[in-house]
């Protein structure tokens, strides 16, 4: 542990995403990594945690670390049928959010609903923002990937 590192203690179990632009590989007993990009190892088996990068962590960071969503929030995810989006829906569902609104192709609506989306909007037709406002009855929905409010 280097001086100046905050929020972590020696012995913490962590997950990290290797920087593909740096020469050091990940298949090693020790690795040096920027503390600010570490993620606490969730309370699941290591083999399960290892299956989540990098789409799962991207979604987790957006929902848990940045948006700090509560059950009362409506949540909008663009590209809900994709790698990051499908994790985002499942995390939002696990958090018990009131409304989970996802965009994707019409052919994937059943899929995003099966993951926990409460509404599916066709991203290729119509006014998506207007449809979201319709679903939320004009309330703002928090957005994971754009990091802004619709
Ligand atoms: N995957 C990762 O590990 C990762 C990590 C960090 C950041 N990112 C970034 O996160 C974003 C999504 O990545 P991903 O891996 O989740 O992608 P992906 O699996 O290819 O999913 C793309 C999503 O976007 C939708 N989509 C495709 N064309 C669209 C269009 N013209 N208009 C609106 N929606 C459209 C797709 O919907 P349909 O398939 O239903 O049409 C699908 O839901 C990218 O910007 C990527 O660079 C990804």
């Amino acid at each position: 542990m280097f001086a100046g590192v905050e929020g972590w203690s020696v012995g913490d179990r962590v997950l990290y995403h290797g920087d593909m632009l740096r020469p050091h590989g990940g298949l090693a007993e020790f690795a040096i990594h920027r503390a600010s990009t570490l993620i606490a190892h969730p309370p699941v088996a290591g083999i399960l945690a290892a299956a989540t990068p990098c789409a799962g962590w991207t979604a987790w960071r957006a929902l848990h670390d940045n948006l700090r969503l509560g059950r009362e929030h409506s949540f909008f995810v663009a590209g809900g049928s994709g790698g990051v989006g499908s994790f985002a829906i499942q995390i939002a569902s696990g958090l018990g959010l009131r409304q989970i609104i996802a965009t994707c192709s019409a052919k994937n609506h059943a899929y995003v609903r099966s993951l926990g989306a409460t509404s599916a909007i066709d991203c290729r037709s119509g006014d998506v923002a207007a449809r979201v406002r319709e679903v939320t009855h004009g309330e703002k929905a928090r957005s994971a990937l754009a990091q802004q409010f619709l």
Side-chain angles (χ1 to χ4, degrees):
M1 185 82 69
F2 292 103
V5 172
E6 291 174 359
W8 298 104
S9 305
V10 173
D12 283 345
R13 295 185 76 210
V14 299
L15 305 174
Y16 78 95
H17 191 309
D19 182 343
M20 289 173 280
L21 301 178
R22 289 173 59 185
H24 317 294
L27 188 60
E29 192 175 352
F30 297 99
I32 296 173
H33 206 68
R34 192 179 294 278
S36 62
T37 63
L38 297 176
I39 290 181
H41 195 299
V44 298
I47 196 166
L48 194 57
T52 59
C54 105
W57 302 357
T58 301
W60 177 255
R61 269 200 177 280
L63 272 80
H64 184 264
D65 298 348
N66 295 335
L67 291 177
R68 299 180 182 280
L69 291 164
R71 296 170 77 94
E72 72 280 11
H73 290 125
S74 294
F75 170 59
F76 170 79
V77 54
S81 55
V84 178
S86 59
F87 268 109
I89 293 171
Q90 292 173 84
I91 293 167
S93 180
L95 292 172
L97 297 198
R98 188 162 49 98
Q99 273 185 323
I100 303 167
I101 308 157
T103 61
C104 59
S105 297
K107 67 177 177 4
N108 288 324
H109 283 192
Y111 170 61
V112 296
R113 285 183 191 280
S114 78
L115 298 176
T118 54
S119 304
I121 296 174
D122 188 352
C123 55
R124 290 182 170 76
S125 71
D127 182 339
V128 171
R131 283 282 296 120
V132 173
R133 281 193 293 273
E134 210 175 282
V135 171
T136 63
H137 304 292
E139 265 183 52
K140 287 181 176 173
R142 292 190 177 215
S143 164
L145 303 182
Q147 287 293 293
Q148 62 190 18
F149 294 88
L150 261 183

